[in-house]
Amino acid sequence: MSKFGIVMNGIIKENPTFVLMLGMCPTLATTTSALNGLMMGLATMAVLIFSNVIISAIKNLTPDMVHIPVYIVVIATLVTIVQFCLAAYMPEVNKSLGLFIPLIVVNCIILGRAESFAGKNNPLDSALDGIGIGLGFTIGLTLLGICRELLGNGTVFDLRIIPEDFGMLLFILPPGAFMTLGFIIAIINRFKKA
C-alpha cells in the first residue's frame, strides 16, 4: 500500500467513527459542540501518532508476553502529556472534555492500531497510519459535533447560524448523539451503495 493509501485508509475505508464504529464513548459524549469534537479528535490523534511511532520503534525490544502492558504504559504516558498540555494551554477545553481525556488510554482505537499496525510495521508507516486513523476520528467527531451544535443550539463553533428560538435541545442531550450518529452513518452508507 502506498504512503498516501495508508493515510486515506484511516479516513475512508477504516474510519473509526463511521465504518469501524470504535471509540463510541467519547464520540457520543464529547460531541455536544463542534469545538469539543475537534479537540477530542486532535487529542486522540496526537496520542495515536506518537504511540504508533514509539510502539513500532520498540516492537523488537518487547517480549511477546508483555507487549500489551508495554503498549498501555506508552499510551498512558502520552495521554498524561496531552492532558497536561491541555490543562496548561487550553484550560476551558480541558475542563469541557473532563474525564474523557484520561480515558483515551483505554480507547480501543489506539490499542487496536498499536496491536494491528504499529506492532507489525516500520515507524514511518505507523506514523502515517496514526495520521490517517486520527484524521478519520477527528473528522467524525467534528462532523458529529457540528450537526449536534447546529441542530441543538443553532451555532457552529459558537457562530450563530440559526436563530436561537429554533434550537432543538434534544440534539445536545445523549439521545440526540445516538440519533445524529445514526443519521450520518445512514447517509454515508447510502452514498457507498450509489
Side-chain angles (χ1 to χ4, degrees):
M1 184 181 297
S2 72
K3 305 297 183 200
F4 182 71
I6 293 172
V7 173
M8 291 310 292
N9 184 52
I11 297 171
I12 298 170
K13 285 184 182 177
E14 291 186 19
N15 184 291
T17 307
F18 301 129
V19 177
L20 301 178
M21 294 189 202
L22 296 173
M24 287 293 109
C25 185
T27 297
L28 297 171
T30 63
T31 56
T32 54
S33 72
L35 181 62
N36 283 354
L38 176 65
M39 294 311 294
M40 185 66 191
L42 291 175
T44 304
M45 184 166 67
V47 172
L48 188 57
I49 293 167
F50 288 111
S51 67
N52 271 8
V53 170
I54 292 168
I55 288 166
S56 179
I58 66 169
K59 69 180 182 260
N60 294 329
L61 304 172
T62 309
D64 287 340
M65 291 178 22
V66 294
H67 73 268
I68 297 287
V70 169
Y71 294 175
I72 291 173
V73 168
V74 168
I75 294 165
T77 302
L78 292 167
V79 168
T80 303
I81 292 167
V82 166
Q83 186 172 23
F84 284 160
C85 289
L86 281 175
Y89 299 108
M90 304 175 109
E92 289 301 317
V93 170
N94 186 53
K95 184 179 177 185
S96 179
L97 296 176
L99 179 64
F100 292 98
I101 295 295
L103 285 176
I104 292 173
V105 173
V106 293
N107 190 321
C108 52
I109 297 167
I110 296 174
L111 190 56
R113 293 321 286 184
E115 183 70 22
S116 70
F117 198 93
K120 297 178 175 101
N121 291 284
N122 64 54
L124 176 60
D125 286 349
S126 297
L128 293 173
D129 178 69
I131 291 167
I133 294 290
L135 280 173
F137 190 62
T138 302
I139 290 166
L141 265 64
T142 306
L143 179 61
L144 190 59
I146 287 170
C147 293
R148 290 182 67 196
E149 183 181 354
L150 179 63
L151 295 170
N153 287 335
T155 60
V156 174
F157 289 105
D158 290 328
L159 298 171
R160 173 84 30 219
I161 306 293
I162 299 172
E164 198 171 332
D165 297 339
F166 294 101
M168 296 172 273
L169 180 63
L170 172 67
F171 288 98
I172 301 298
L173 299 174
F178 285 103
M179 289 173 41
T180 308
L181 181 63
F183 283 124
I184 292 172
I185 290 171
I187 291 167
I188 289 170
N189 286 339
R190 178 68 179 114
F191 280 111
K192 278 184 183 176
K193 290 180 182 177

